[in-house]
Amino acid sequence: MSEIPKAYNSQEVEDKIYEKWRESGFFNPDNLNLPKDKKNDKENRFVISMPPPNATGVLHLGHASMLAYQDLMIRYNRMDEKNVLWLPGTDHASIATQTKVEKIIAEKGQTKYDLGRENFLERVNKYVENSKNTIRKQTKKMGSSCDWDRERYTLDDGLSRAVKEVFVKMYNDKLIYRGDRIVNWCPRCESTLADDEVEHKDQKANLYYFKYQKDFPITIATTRPETKLGDTAVAVNPKDERYQKYIGQVFEIELGNGLHKIKIIADREVGMEFGTGALGVTPAHSMTDWEMAEKNNIEKIKIINEDGKMNASAGAGYKGLTVLEAREKFVKYLKKNNLIEKIEEVDQSLSVCYRCDTPIEPLPSKQWFVAVDQKITIKGNQYFQNKSLKEVALEVVNKSDEKNKDKIEIIPERFSKTYHNWMENLHDWCISRQIWFGHRMPVYYCFDCNLEKIKNNNLFKDRDGDEGFVTQLGTEDGKFIPAYEHLLRELEDGGKKIIDDDLEYFVDINPKKCPKCKSEKLFQNPDTLDTWFSSGLWTFSTLLNQDHKKYKTFEEWVANSPDLQNFHPTSVMETGYDILFFWIARMILMTTYTLGEVPFENVYLHGMVRDKQGRKMSKSLGNGIDPIEMIEKYGTDALRLSMIIGSSPGNDLRLFEEKIEGYRNFVNKLWNVSRYIIMNQESRIKNYEIDYENLTLADKWILEHLENLKYIVNNALENYQFSFAIDGEYGIRDFMWDKFADWYLEVSKVQGKNDVVLIYVLENLLKLCHPFIPFVTEQIWQEMGKEKLLMVEKWLKSKNEGIKLTQVNIDFNLIQGIISEIRRIKNENGISQKEKIDVVINYEIRKDLTQKDFDTIENNRNIIEALAVVKNLKIERKKEKPEGWIQFDCRVSVYVNIEDSIDKEKEAERIKKEIQEIEKYIKQIRSKLGNDNFIANAPADIVEKEREKYMESEEKKRKLEEKLKSLL
RNA sequence: GGGCGCUUAGCUCAGUUGGCUAGAGCAUCUCGUUUACACCGAGAGGGUCGGGGGUUCGAAUCCCUCAGCGCCCACCA
């Protein structure tokens, strides 16, 4: 049977194995052959909703690690006869994807406006189709056993309907409203951003100290002088004595752009130590200032437009300038008028867009929000009984110090503190985006109902802020088109932004006519929804019956979605801690509201993959590792192991090529262990039973450790300590390599093979390894001639409550100890391992050595002879050491005849060192045992142990001294 | 400014209710072409567990403090 290759060739087998799995149909829970009671028991489900990768290109190591952890959980539970569903998909990732495509077309010198909405979206969809394919391929490469039959995409028809349904439902429940307030605006994306989509970057900035005009009594300080053109107040701390007398006064100032009324107000938020202790309030372009203005009823002047340029309110000389140009010009003005007192360099944290790094402009805008503090009662919803979204989201997640099975548990638990803290401080969530790619909001306007307003109020403004409305417009070929069509075209093709201040709107999923006047001239709000709005529905929108058109109402649809009934809530949400707020929190908000169910029962947060130095992997640093390249080089199993081992919940993981290489070796070792066993089998054993009456010590020893291994692996998996299963004490690596390969197999070569034990151990080992390294284990399984797939073999539960080591282990350790010591003596004295030497094992009855131990050694003398390479092995009682032989001790005394080759001085030195160490140790124990407090307070077994250790050490010291004397 | 995490052998990391002379893999050194595997085997060296203090019979482990690194949150302009 030499057809099994010497080295495991991952390239050769992986794709074929994956095909086999896929063809078996077992990725799909509908095809699992479960006992009826298990199949129909909803409690017996195990469901993971795969966090959908963004549809923006390729998978990176972060995805690879996520797939490794999830597939491991999925495979383990599938083998354990759970009704397992792992649902894959992709996220349209509106801003990220749109930005990417914009960059691509920019290379050809195009903008999205050149293409128009429809063409641009077509371009985006083509791009997405492409990346979805790539992602699919790469996900398969990772060995992911997910159910491709249920693959979803956030822009699928069904999922899109879910988005609209939830929007309308929330609107009707007054949880979605339109509000006019200051928002985070990204001038490059030309869109709003949610609070958590804003990132902060530390940088140096100039802090300008100046007065608005010569006779103004207060000097203010700012890093953004240009915004002062929109100031309407100065805020000081109410306790600040310097400014007490001005509070409440109103000044009139002139900044070269008309008269401003500046009111002096008091606000506790103002720091007296910063700058001059006086803050120029620009309500329209600062979050803080906006709130102060709201409290104090102060006028808000918008001077910066959505394109990041100054508008007419900033003054004629400023209109059209960029923010930076305006700053330069205004500072020049201040200098010229001698108003600047000083300029200081300060540290400042600049707000930037998380997608394109552009500095954020806070500005007032009419946008749509989710009200997180609005209390509501929903019939049939266990959570919403006069509670707000925020309150429910806080309630359903365990706090870090509590354990409640009915609540979501976040692992590691420290993140539940982070979650609670964030949720408590959550503001209303801005969900409208001026992005083209995404779910368009189901908000409609009737052209006819609003016609007068449209005409009279010039409500349509173009992007430059120029106003105007025409009922008919000439096109290039000279034809005229009606206003409605013109309006639609403007909306669809971009370039114009609707300012829908006074327009009447209505919210509907798919309206055909105006509910009021029955006109069919409707136009939809061009804004799309925050991408996290749809991601927030992911765990259930993916399980809704995709054949949705049959169902008129949402409730009917839900009721007719068997997957939703069977698989929701999902079991574990496994994702990176970086999207705890973006995604986890949103899913909890949206799902508890929509279904009255939590989206998942547990959250497992993994860390980020970093390079060897702990740096983030990035293109600019060039330190990224391509998972596909690693798979080609070392195999998927090796890559998976390198991400599983060394990772713990919530902690970052360092990954580098040597590590992957190391696990390739591990995989290959398992391959060769199996190869040896399969090749040396007399015949293929199919049905077998272990003959427990006729087992050698080594047989019993390996079987005992296999039982322990089952416990270790099960325990590790149940507690999400994946790394521990392989790399921990008594883990898979220790068992497979150190115990099974290096000892048991070697012993079996000497004592004769027990094929049944070999096969039994191998099969069990493969089952335990499969969730971690599915490809190689499945391939070996096939090489063994199995008909069934290992993937659906029954999982091994542990009988143990913990690690149990019996006399068997002690006995085998005795033999191992003797062998290792003889090998060491040879090695240290320059004797070849192959050279057979004379050995006498001297045995004496002591407390810890009985006749049984003597028998053990005697019964296994062939192992000692072979593995330690010994001739004339004598096992005797109370035999004096032959003159000139070397003695060492490992529970028993062993005399070795190597006088000719021994370096006596070197050996003496070594023994002296050893004696010193043991003396130090004896001193430690003696002081412990001499301490009355220790005797009195420590548990009896600990004291007893210390006493034993003391006796042993004294004995060991005595023997070492004896040995030293004999050497000199 | 608030919160969290990390610091154990040259490197990457274990060490889960405080109690085996603190462990593993890689790297290093020595030896080895034993018919499963050189992607291997046999052995060896290497750490006052970041510093200081405290609690305790006993601390890598618990508490305090200092230092360094990293992350998250926050409206100090």
Side-chain angles (χ1 to χ4, degrees), chain A residues 57 95 220 257 267 356:
Chain A
I95 297 184
I220 59 162
N257 67 339
D267 195 296
C356 67

Side-chain angles (χ1 to χ4, degrees), chain A residues 425-444:
Chain A
N425 294 311
L426 183 67
H427 297 297
D428 283 1
W429 168 23
C430 176
I431 51 169
S432 47
R433 296 285 179 277
Q434 292 63 50
I435 297 283
W436 288 355
F437 183 52
H439 299 100
R440 219 157 137 173
M441 296 202 300
V443 173
Y444 293 85

Side-chain angles (χ1 to χ4, degrees), chain A residues 226-244:
Chain A
E226 74 282 6
T227 62
K228 301 297 103 181
L229 293 163
D231 276 11
T232 48
V234 164
V236 299
N237 193 290
K239 286 185 197 148
D240 200 327
E241 288 173 14
R242 291 172 293 180
Y243 307 120
Q244 281 289 344

Side-chain angles (χ1 to χ4, degrees), chain A residues 825-872:
Chain A
I825 291 270
K826 282 188 182 177
N827 233 315
E828 299 242 307
N829 293 291
I831 301 165
S832 161
Q833 290 295 346
K834 283 186 300 185
E835 191 179 322
K836 292 189 171 180
I837 57 171
D838 296 326
V839 170
V840 172
I841 293 171
N842 177 35
Y843 175 84
E844 61 184 295
I845 300 283
R846 299 199 307 256
K847 195 184 164 196
D848 61 328
L849 278 173
T850 65
Q851 179 63 36
K852 273 182 79 182
D853 293 308
F854 186 78
D855 297 339
T856 301
I857 300 171
E858 189 58 58
N859 291 338
N860 291 286
R861 65 180 303 142
N862 54 351
I863 307 180
I864 298 171
E865 281 167 343
L867 297 189
V869 193
V870 163
K871 66 179 177 191
N872 302 324

Side-chain angles (χ1 to χ4, degrees), chain A residues 437-643:
Chain A
F437 183 52
H439 299 100
R440 219 157 137 173
M441 296 202 300
V443 173
Y444 293 85
Y445 306 86
C446 170
F447 182 79
D448 289 327
C449 290
N450 284 296
L451 191 56
E452 284 313 302
K453 279 174 190 161
I454 289 168
K455 272 188 189 166
N456 297 340
N457 302 324
N458 285 328
L459 286 177
F460 292 89
K461 300 179 183 177
D462 68 18
R463 297 175 69 231
D464 301 322
D466 292 327
E467 297 178 1
F469 177 77
V470 279
T471 51
Q472 293 208 317
L473 192 82
T475 59
E476 274 170 27
D477 54 13
K479 286 181 189 157
F480 284 91
I481 53 172
Y484 170 66
E485 279 173 35
H486 163 61
L487 177 53
L488 274 184
R489 192 169 294 186
E490 288 292 306
L491 283 173
E492 298 303 320
D493 286 357
K496 301 281 190 267
K497 178 174 163 31
I498 285 194
I499 306 297
D500 52 356
D501 292 55
D502 295 315
L503 296 197
E504 276 178 41
Y505 62 84
F506 62 96
V507 168
D508 195 339
I509 303 219
N510 192 16
K512 297 274 185 289
K513 288 176 189 157
C514 170
K516 223 164 132 189
C517 74
K518 309 294 176 211
S519 160
E520 289 180 12
K521 287 184 185 171
L522 303 177
F523 54 95
Q524 189 177 2
N525 190 314
D527 286 359
T528 54
L529 284 164
D530 180 1
T531 202
W532 300 105
F533 190 95
S534 59
S535 322
L537 317 179
W538 182 253
T539 63
F540 69 87
S541 64
T542 51
L543 293 174
L544 281 163
N545 191 339
Q546 295 302 293
D547 189 11
H548 64 93
K549 289 194 177 124
K550 288 188 247 171
Y551 310 108
K552 280 213 172 110
T553 66
F554 184 60
E555 288 68 26
E556 204 186 324
W557 187 21
V558 166
N560 285 288
S561 294
D563 277 359
L564 185 62
Q565 312 303 330
N566 293 334
F567 297 116
H568 203 269
T570 62
S571 311
V572 179
M573 175 46 62
E574 195 287 332
T575 186
Y577 62 73
D578 55 331
I579 50 174
L580 177 62
F581 306 137
F582 282 130
W583 195 39
I584 303 280
R586 259 71 188 247
M587 283 190 282
I588 295 173
L589 288 174
M590 304 294 270
T591 312
T592 49
Y593 164 76
T594 312
L595 299 180
E597 255 176 30
V598 291
F600 31 70
E601 292 168 339
N602 296 290
V603 176
Y604 174 90
L605 296 172
H606 64 248
M608 306 294 113
V609 181
R610 296 175 175 278
D611 74 358
K612 194 168 185 176
Q613 282 100 52
R615 299 174 305 178
K616 249 186 188 155
M617 289 191 182
S618 71
K619 270 186 200 142
S620 53
L621 279 171
N623 60 347
I625 295 180
D626 174 14
I628 296 303
E629 194 188 319
M630 292 300 112
I631 286 173
E632 279 167 8
K633 222 163 152 187
Y634 302 106
T636 299
D637 292 329
L639 179 65
R640 287 170 63 128
L641 278 182
S642 72
M643 288 182 302

Side-chain angles (χ1 to χ4, degrees), chain A residues 654-692:
Chain A
R654 296 186 184 196
L655 191 68
F656 39 95
E657 195 165 339
E658 300 96 287
K659 193 173 167 185
I660 305 171
E661 192 185 342
Y663 294 117
R664 188 265 321 258
N665 296 352
F666 174 89
V667 167
N668 192 54
K669 186 73 183 179
L670 177 65
W671 175 259
N672 271 291
V673 164
S674 314
R675 178 170 181 259
Y676 169 74
I677 294 170
I678 298 168
M679 278 177 26
N680 283 290
Q681 246 182 287
E682 307 292 327
S683 59
R684 225 161 240 176
I685 301 172
K686 281 211 168 147
N687 298 309
Y688 58 83
E689 233 170 273
I690 294 176
D691 178 4
Y692 284 96

